[in-house]
């Protein structure tokens, strides 16, 4: 039954591996148990994860000495293998009345899960950067458009109201009114684009926009 399990199952006595199944040897990148048995368990744990693993084994040893039933805690860490590491979830429980000197270590390979989670995180980061770039682009282009639009709206209003004097031909006044109305419509569209980008980025409320002329 132990050999049929693809997860790592090992007996560790006084810190050394005395038994490991074929699935465990494969997770550790070894062709068989002979390359694993007799070695220190910590030899297969990355240096940064060794303190957490030792604390787990020590805690189970104390529980065994008190006769208490150990709490099953699963740790996420990396095991060393030739040419790299393997991400696993791992736990350990004491075996028999040996005052915690013998422990059963069980680990499952979660490398694919970690890779998928990392890919998802990177995709989310890229999406956030793309959203930020979109908002920044629309913000920049809106400022570039607003400057000439404000000039068009202001000068056309002067012309249509003949503030500096009559233009002579009344058709010019109609053209100036059309230019003024078109400029206002364009300005509203520009502000709408800015609002949509900000809403998409959850930055501001749609009510927090500049007041437009009537």
């Amino acid at each position: 039954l132990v050999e049929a399990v693809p997860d790592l199952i090992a007996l560790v006595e006084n810190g050394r591996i005395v038994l490991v199944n074929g699935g465990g040897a494969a997770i550790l990148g070894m062709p068989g148990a002979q390359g694993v048995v007799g070695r220190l368990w910590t030899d297969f744990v990355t240096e940064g994860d060794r303190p957490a693993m030792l604390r787990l084994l020590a805690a189970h040893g104390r529980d065994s000495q008190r006769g208490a039933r150990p709490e099953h805690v699963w740790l996420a860490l990396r095991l060393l293998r030739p040419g790299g590491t393997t991400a696993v979830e791992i736990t350990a429980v004491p075996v028999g009345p040996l005052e915690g000197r013998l422990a059963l270590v069980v680990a499952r390979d979660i490398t694919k899960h970690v890779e998928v989670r990392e890919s998802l995180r990177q995709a989310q980061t890229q999406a956030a950067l793309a959203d930020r770039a979109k908002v920044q682009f629309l913000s920049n282009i809106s400022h570039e458009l607003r400057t000439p639009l404000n000039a068009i709206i202001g000068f056309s209003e002067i012309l249509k109201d003949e503030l500096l004097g009559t233009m002579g031909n009344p058709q010019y006044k109609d053209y100036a009114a059309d230019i003024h109305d078109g400029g206002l419509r364009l300005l509203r569209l520009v502000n709408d684009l800015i609002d949509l980008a900000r809403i998409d980025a959850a930055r501001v409320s749609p009510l927090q926009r500049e007041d437009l002329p009537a």
Side-chain angles (χ1 to χ4, degrees):
L1 177 63
V2 170
E3 285 300 322
V5 176
D7 298 333
L8 181 150
I9 299 177
L11 281 176
V12 178
E13 185 174 13
N14 294 326
R16 291 190 180 274
I17 300 171
V18 296
L19 181 147
V20 67
N21 65 338
I27 288 176
L28 296 174
M30 296 295 179
Q34 64 274 12
V36 180
V37 172
R39 296 180 59 178
L40 289 172
W41 168 247
T42 51
D43 288 347
F44 294 99
V45 182
T46 59
E47 185 175 356
D49 289 328
R50 286 173 190 170
M53 188 69 217
L54 291 173
R55 284 195 298 270
L56 177 65
L57 291 171
H60 286 321
R62 289 192 299 270
D63 289 339
S64 178
Q65 289 176 349
R66 294 195 302 265
R69 183 174 182 177
E71 179 183 356
H72 291 286
V73 177
W74 288 86
L75 296 178
L77 49 78
R78 287 191 171 273
L79 298 181
L80 293 169
R81 54 180 294 147
T85 61
T86 300
V88 299
E89 282 185 337
I90 195 166
T91 190
V93 293
V95 177
L98 298 180
E99 298 182 350
R101 290 183 296 168
L102 186 66
L104 175 68
V105 176
V106 180
R108 62 173 68 103
D109 189 343
I110 59 169
T111 302
K112 292 188 181 297
H113 173 72
V114 171
E115 290 174 350
V116 170
R117 186 172 58 191
E118 179 62 19
S119 297
L120 180 59
R121 187 192 66 80
Q122 291 180 0
Q124 291 173 336
T125 300
Q126 292 297 324
L129 291 174
D131 284 342
R132 187 181 305 171
K134 178 179 65 177
V135 172
Q136 188 62 44
F137 170 78
L138 289 175
S139 177
N140 291 339
I141 201 68
S142 70
H143 288 299
E144 295 296 326
L145 290 173
R146 279 174 176 168
T147 300
L149 277 175
N150 286 331
I152 291 170
I153 293 169
F155 291 140
S156 61
E157 187 172 5
I158 292 174
L159 294 175
K160 77 181 182 67
D161 293 339
E162 297 181 327
L163 296 180
L164 301 179
T166 179
M167 291 187 291
N169 192 330
Q171 195 169 3
Y172 289 149
K173 185 176 180 179
D174 294 336
Y175 290 158
D178 292 340
I179 294 171
H180 182 266
D181 293 342
L184 289 178
R185 282 195 295 272
L186 283 175
L187 188 58
R188 289 192 178 93
L189 287 174
V190 168
N191 284 327
D192 287 342
L193 287 174
I194 298 301
D195 285 346
L196 288 174
R198 288 173 175 171
I199 293 169
D200 188 44
R203 283 180 138 184
V204 297
S205 164
L207 298 178
Q208 292 177 297
R209 56 177 291 175
E210 295 178 4
D211 292 331
L212 295 177

